[in-house]
Each structure stands twice: as C-alpha cells, then as structure tokens.
Amino acid sequence: PGDRLPHFYYRGQETEQMLELLGDSERKHILIVGQPSVGKSAFVEHVACRLSQVARNHPLHGYRILQLNVELLTSPTVANQEKVAKLAKTLKSKPNHILFSEAIAPLFQMDFYSFTGASKLFELVTSNIVMCITTATPDELEGTEDEEALPIANFHRLELKPLSVDDTKDIPRPY
C-alpha cells in the first residue's frame, strides 16, 4: 500500500499521535472519532503505509494493520469461517498485527459473531490480546456510556476534526 497514499495533507500531528498510541505498552484499543467523510478510514490507511516505512530499529518496525470485513463475521459460509479462523490464528500468533474495523459495534457485540470460529476472534478482541483500531462518528457513540454496551473505557480516543479552508489552501489541485 506504500504508493496508494502518496500525499496525505495536514494530518502530521494526528499521525504522530497515532504512532505513539500504537507503541503504547498498555495496548489499549484505538477509537478514531470524526464526522462522516472527515477521512477516518483514509487516515488509518495512511498510518498503515507509514508503518510499512518505519526503519528497522524503530519500535513499530514489522507492525501491520489488517482490515476486518464485517461480512466475514455475519455470513457463516465455509469460506468465511476459514478466513476468520486464519485471521484469529494470525492475530494470536503475531502481537504486532493490529485489527482495523470501520465499524465499532461488531468488534464488541457477540451477536455479530454468528458462528463458533468467530467467537475465537471475539475473545482475542475483548480480552485485549489483539489491539484494534476502529472508527465512529459522534452520533454512533451516543448512548455508549454503558460499559456493557461497548467497552469504550478500553480505548485510546483520537479525534479527527474537519480540515478548515485555511488548512487546505496550499494543497495542489489538479486542473
């Protein structure tokens, strides 16, 4: 993915903060909060590219972000079960692999895990064996103060604010 995001403007501070969070020894999950279309998923993809480029002597060298397709959990086909089992095995054996889901609820609500193999992934996530990155809008987080609904306390929170016109005035525009 190194060449898919050659220019990611004006998120340097957030990128550095995210890299710090990824290297945190507490290994809490990371929740990226922002309005719709602010670039939450693109930001995670940018961070994944940055991780692939860190120097060998950097503490995050070798870290990878793996994206979870929620459909794998909700559609119990044999192929999906095999993919989820393989993903769970990879995540358990490689602590430097981080799971990314664009939706927060499926990671922490057992009813999304529609078959037995998926429950292994659920256990890895909820027991903090696997570090997760997920995204949400402020509206999606309303009513999540209840610890049983969503364990928000297990997350580092990173806010992505919309870029202002002043922030973007120097971005080269294709003509």
Side-chain angles (χ1 to χ4, degrees), residues 104-163:
I104 187 171
L107 286 176
F108 293 96
Q109 294 177 350
M110 186 60 189
D111 55 334
F112 277 95
Y113 294 75
S114 58
F115 50 90
T116 307
S119 64
K120 290 178 186 170
L121 184 60
F122 179 76
E123 290 169 18
L124 291 173
V125 169
T126 55
S127 63
N128 287 356
I129 292 172
V130 171
M131 179 187 253
C132 296
I133 300 170
T134 189
T135 62
T137 64
D139 289 346
E140 289 171 324
L141 293 179
E142 277 186 30
T144 59
E145 295 80 24
D146 174 15
E147 183 69 22
E148 294 197 17
L150 232 45
I152 298 298
N154 291 336
F155 285 85
H156 288 296
R157 190 175 174 134
L158 179 67
E159 300 271 341
L160 275 191
K161 300 197 182 310
L163 295 174

Side-chain angles (χ1 to χ4, degrees), residues 41 45 84 86 95 112:
S41 297
E45 189 171 342
V84 170
K86 183 178 178 183
F112 277 95

Side-chain angles (χ1 to χ4, degrees), residues 26 33 46-47 49 53 116 127 133 143 157 162:
E26 286 185 38
V33 180
H46 167 70
V47 170
C49 289
Q53 299 167 352
T116 307
S127 63
I133 300 170
R157 190 175 174 134

Side-chain angles (χ1 to χ4, degrees), residues 5-30:
L5 292 173
H7 303 291
F8 200 83
Y9 295 96
Y10 302 100
R11 295 286 188 203
Q13 183 177 0
E14 292 94 337
T15 301
E16 293 309 313
Q17 185 179 0
M18 180 76 155
L19 292 174
E20 281 181 36
L21 293 174
L22 291 173
D24 186 341
S25 62
E26 286 185 38
R27 293 192 56 82
K28 281 190 173 182
H29 303 304
I30 299 171

